[in-house]
Structure formats: C-alpha cells, structure tokens
C-alpha cells in the first residue's frame, strides 16, 4: 500500500542540532571559546492519524446459548451492541434437507439459496469463495482494459491519512481533488460514469494494483469474512483502516478463526 512517509514540517522547515565546533590547535595563549550557535525550539511533530475502516458487513459468531428467536434485527443491539440489519450474504449448501431448513437464518429461495446465516456445516463457504474468485477474475480483466496506459495511482487512504494528520495544511477538499486528479482514477471514473461493464470501483484501486491473483484472493476471502467479525467470546476482529495491508491482516485473522470453529458454530451476517 502507499503510505504517507515522514512528518509534516513547520513553517520554519526541519530543525536539526547544530554540529559541535571542532577543537582548535594548541597555542601559547588560549583562544577565546567559540560563541554557541543560536538554537530554536523544535516544533513537535504531528502524530500520523489512521483513518477509520469502512465496515459495511459484519460476521457474528453466535454463542451456543443464544436462542433462535433472538436472531432478529431488533435484538442485535441488545445482544451484540450492533445496529444493523440481517443480510443474505451466505449460501446454503446445495444438499440442504427439508428438516434442516429451520436451522437456517433468513433462508430465501434460489440456487444457490441465499441466507443470513446458519451452522457452518450447512453453509457453502467453499462455493462462495470460488464464485467470488471467478467474478473477481472477470472484473480484473475489465479493469486492466479500462486503465491501460495509465500510471499506478496512490490509493485514497494515503490522501485521507495526510488530511487527518494535518487538516489545516491539507484540507479534505484538497485531498479529494488530488486523489481524483490521477489519470488512472480518471479512467476508472469515466468507465463507471458511462455505465461500463464490470464497474471496478476506485475504492478497490489498491486491491486491483496488487495484481490479478492477489485481487482474486482478496475477493474470495472477503466473500466469507465480510469487513469485520465478532467472535462467540466477544472479541472483535476488524482492519485498522481501509488500506490493503490492514485489510489483509484482518482477513488472515478472520479466516484463521473460521478454521477453528466447530461445524455446528452458527454464523450471522449483518449489514451495518
């Protein structure tokens, strides 16, 4: 990911300690001591501010003791401190039996059948990841054609970080203008404005620039992990920001946690 390096300078420029004077050769009479170089107070550097991540979908690992009737939108805040609505993110397994349907949450008709959650053993997580990877591969090919001939661009989190770190010197409107002034961003916005097929969004610019296989892995992992996760013991997993490095760290943690849950662990998808 692109980061904003260094610290902002004061209006006086950077300040470094004056170099000590070299000793003068010995003489019969001592030379007068050199006058100390004038010093100025060092301005305190502003700490870098990390932008908050965008959390659109949260995966909740439901505690075993929580009754099914509590799994409604109206009870999310009471049980999990989350304000949102159930969303049909998951797919039920193709071999779902009639007697298993009552175990699913928000099950809808279709092939594959979407649902808001259910036991892990009845969710087609492998199928979701495969489909997401295939779709990402197609979108990446479209994106390559859209941005062909343009230089790599700095992603939005880099501009947002710079603004939040020093909002007086780098206003929000300036950050937006600088981000949109990049030729690669121009190409992506024009494609979206003309209703082009695929609609690669500028919010995923850094993910696209990581390469085709990386983008497929990113979309496949995100398909089952969402943007944040609440574990059954109350731990919240989430990226530190929208930067790709932070998103990858979250996905690693979320996928590793899903590997440890039992087949009967219930998952619930919530749109925030």
């Amino acid at each position: 990911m692109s980061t904003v390096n260094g610290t902002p300078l004061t209006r006086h420029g950077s300040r470094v300690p004056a170099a000590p004077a070299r000793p003068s050769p010995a003489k019969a009479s001592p030379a007068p001591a050199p006058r100390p170089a004038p010093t100025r107070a060092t301005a305190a550097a502003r700490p870098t501010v990390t932008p908050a991540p965008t959390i659109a979908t949260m995966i909740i690992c439901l505690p075993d003791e929580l009754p099914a009737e509590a799994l409604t939108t109206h009870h999310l805040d009471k049980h999990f401190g989350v304000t949102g609505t159930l969303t049909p993110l998951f797919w039920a397994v193709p071999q779902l039996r009639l007697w298993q349907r009552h175990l699913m949450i928000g099950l809808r008709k279709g092939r594959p059948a979407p649902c808001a959650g259910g036991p892990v053993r009845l969710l087609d997580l492998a199928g979701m990841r495969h489909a997401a990877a295939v779709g990402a591969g197609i979108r990446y090919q479209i994106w390559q054609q859209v941005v062909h001939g343009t230089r790599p661009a700095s992603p939005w989190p880099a501009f947002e970080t710079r603004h939040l770190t020093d909002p007086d010197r780098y206003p929000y409107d300036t950050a937006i203008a600088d981000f949109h002034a990049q030729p690669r961003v121009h190409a992506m916005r024009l494609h979206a404005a003309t209703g082009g097929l695929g609609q690669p969004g500028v919010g995923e610019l850094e993910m696209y620039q990581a390469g085709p296989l990386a983008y497929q892995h990113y979309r496949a992992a995100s398909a089952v992990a969402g943007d944040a996760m609440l574990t059954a013991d109350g731990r919240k997993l989430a990226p530190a920001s929208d930067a790709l490095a932070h998103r990858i760290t979250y996905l690693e943690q979320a996928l590793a946690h899903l590997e440890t849950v039992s087949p009967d662990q219930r998952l619930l998808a919530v749109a925030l």
Side-chain angles (χ1 to χ4, degrees), residues 26-121:
K27 294 183 180 180
S29 59
R35 296 178 61 185
T39 59
R40 299 181 183 179
T42 302
R46 291 177 180 266
T48 300
V49 179
T50 301
T54 303
I55 307 298
T57 305
M58 173 178 282
I59 307 302
I60 300 177
C61 301
L62 300 173
D64 294 336
E65 65 275 7
L66 191 67
E69 54 269 19
L71 304 179
T72 65
T73 296
H74 303 293
H75 291 84
L76 292 176
D77 185 57
K78 173 184 176 181
H79 293 288
F80 308 109
V82 173
T83 302
T85 57
L86 307 187
T87 183
L89 174 74
F90 296 110
W91 292 354
V93 294
Q95 305 83 10
L96 188 68
R97 303 288 188 255
L98 287 177
W99 60 271
Q100 295 173 322
R101 296 177 68 88
H102 77 281
L103 299 175
M104 309 306 292
I105 306 170
L107 183 64
R108 301 182 180 183
K109 295 181 179 180
R111 285 186 175 273
C115 62
V120 169
R121 60 186 171 85

Side-chain angles (χ1 to χ4, degrees), residues 87-199:
T87 183
L89 174 74
F90 296 110
W91 292 354
V93 294
Q95 305 83 10
L96 188 68
R97 303 288 188 255
L98 287 177
W99 60 271
Q100 295 173 322
R101 296 177 68 88
H102 77 281
L103 299 175
M104 309 306 292
I105 306 170
L107 183 64
R108 301 182 180 183
K109 295 181 179 180
R111 285 186 175 273
C115 62
V120 169
R121 60 186 171 85
L122 299 181
L123 300 177
D124 189 10
L125 301 184
M128 293 170 58
R129 295 182 67 169
H130 175 73
V134 172
I138 296 173
R139 285 196 304 278
Y140 188 87
Q141 291 179 357
I142 297 171
W143 177 80
Q144 275 190 314
Q145 296 175 352
V146 170
V147 302
H148 180 70
T150 62
R151 297 186 305 274
S154 297
W156 167 246
F159 295 90
E160 188 178 16
T161 297
R162 183 180 170 190
H163 158 69
L164 293 175
T165 300
D166 197 349
D168 294 333
R169 291 180 176 272
Y170 196 63
Y172 187 70
D173 290 344
T174 302
I176 294 178
D178 288 349
F179 173 67
H180 286 168
Q182 301 176 103
R184 179 159 290 189
V185 177
H186 281 321
M188 296 177 69
R189 294 180 66 201
L190 283 170
H191 178 75
T194 56
L197 182 66
Q199 301 296 332

